[in-house]
Amino acid sequence: MSQVETKHILHSGYFHPLLRQWQSPNVEITPKNLMYPIFILDEPNAKEAISSMPGVYRYGINQLKSMLQPLVSKGLQSILLFGVSNSLKKDEIGSSADSTENPVIRALPLLRKWFPALIITCDVCLCPYTTHGHCGILNKDGTLNNEASIKRIAEVALAYAKSGAQVVAPSDMMDGRIAAIKESLGAANLYNKVAVLSYAVKFSSGFYGPFRDAAQSAPQFGDRKCYQLPPGSKGLASRAAARDVAEGADFLMVKPGLAYLDIVKQVKDDHPEYPLFIYQVSGEYAMLLHGAKNGAINLEVVLNEILMSMRRAGADCIITYFTPMILDMLQPKSKY
Ligand code: PBG
Ligand code: ZN
């Protein structure tokens, strides 16, 4: 007998890959645990590289089918759409967010037709379409007009729903927007056909840097600290999630991901009956990619660890720019 007491021997429980999987329950990554964010540009044939996010592109409508087809074949189940405009006019109220020219509005019916089994979520926000680049409507003095903002956000959400979005995801962080959206969906008799995924716990974060380049949505003055949550506040995180639950959100999200896993656990513990999303944001993507490119880490190995940490913390679905790569990692490998 070894010197180690029998009950202290752990290795016997994980000497084989299958045993290791038995030791890691509920952290599997499958296609249903992934949502792929896509930037749709208002130039139909475009495929524009985003320099701050190598490997991520802005696609024109005519590029979407051939880009998505192989991913759907590999099991992709859900996408998150962001509109980006090079030529649509920006104004104070983000009129282009729901105009007939908006690339998301135009893409929705096509995507629904091409990929009937795919769940299509639309990010709902004004910042890509406002002159000032803020997520809501501003008063003359530059402060937020919350009432006007949620009214407008609800209009935009309804427009996406009417065009075919099955899930609308407001990322603006205005107070009361979930209730306003639910009300507008109800008035249009869509309340039971469209889900609301709330960016409930969205922190003010340096990790959004590359995205603002991708979506061309950086604020022209000031910052978003008055509406996005302060990174140190567990209390506001808790209240924000509870508030959005009370207003009728179907799903909750924590964003960014890796730096906020304690918040993911907190939200899951507080609201176990709600599917929880986590957004591995642009800065997290860029950090991993650059780290791997420079030889510091093995991308697949580290990415897999991070995805498992998100699942362990309580996330049911991970929104990630790495989705195409993860789908490849999930393909059964030939033994020969
Ligand atoms: C803004 C919005 C942001 C992201 C999605 N929608 C960030 C911001 O506040 O600038 C971030 C996504 C990412 O960084 O990947 N409505
Ligand atoms: Zn915004």
Side-chain angles (χ1 to χ4, degrees), residues 223-236:
D223 54 44
R224 294 179 177 158
K225 292 197 171 87
C226 291
Y227 44 108
Q228 299 181 347
L229 302 178
S233 185
K234 285 186 155 197
L236 280 169

Side-chain angles (χ1 to χ4, degrees), residues 115-312:
F115 306 106
L118 194 63
I119 282 288
I120 303 173
T121 302
C122 286
D123 183 272
V124 178
C125 206
L126 303 183
C127 58
Y129 310 105
T130 51
T131 35
H132 45 70
H134 280 283
C135 301
I137 293 174
L138 304 182
N139 294 310
K140 290 244 152 41
D141 64 1
T143 57
L144 270 173
N145 183 334
N146 196 77
E147 276 306 300
S149 299
I150 63 177
K151 196 164 162 264
R152 178 78 188 114
I153 296 278
E155 260 172 36
V156 174
L158 179 59
Y160 296 161
K162 282 183 170 165
S163 302
Q166 297 117 312
V167 185
V168 289
S171 62
D172 55 289
M173 292 301 283
M174 300 302 129
D175 283 326
R177 77 234 201 262
I178 303 299
I181 290 172
K182 281 281 173 178
E183 198 174 310
S184 73
L185 292 174
N189 220 7
L190 283 169
Y191 58 88
N192 57 347
K193 297 194 183 78
V194 179
V196 178
L197 162 59
S198 176
Y199 282 73
V201 187
K202 176 176 175 180
F203 290 97
S204 167
S205 171
F207 285 107
Y208 305 148
F211 173 93
R212 291 178 186 179
D213 169 25
Q216 293 158 1
S217 64
Q220 295 307 298
F221 57 85
D223 54 44
R224 294 179 177 158
K225 292 197 171 87
C226 291
Y227 44 108
Q228 299 181 347
L229 302 178
S233 185
K234 285 186 155 197
L236 280 169
S238 179
R239 291 174 61 197
R243 190 265 315 268
D244 288 2
V245 162
E247 289 184 18
D250 295 275
F251 314 123
L252 302 173
M253 190 198 303
V254 172
K255 174 186 172 188
L258 191 56
Y260 296 89
L261 293 185
D262 59 325
I263 304 293
V264 172
K265 171 154 169 43
Q266 172 176 293
V267 172
K268 194 61 179 179
D269 286 348
D270 287 352
H271 306 283
E273 54 285 271
Y274 284 79
L276 183 57
F277 288 64
I278 184 170
Y279 200 144
Q280 181 181 52
V281 300
S282 55
E284 299 176 70
Y285 174 86
M287 234 167 40
L288 284 176
L289 213 66
H290 291 304
K293 265 196 184 154
N294 289 303
I297 54 166
N298 178 305
L299 183 54
E300 276 199 24
V301 173
V302 171
L303 176 58
N304 190 49
E305 273 176 69
I306 291 175
L307 298 175
M308 281 196 292
S309 78
M310 293 172 166
R311 298 278 286 128
R312 268 194 339 263

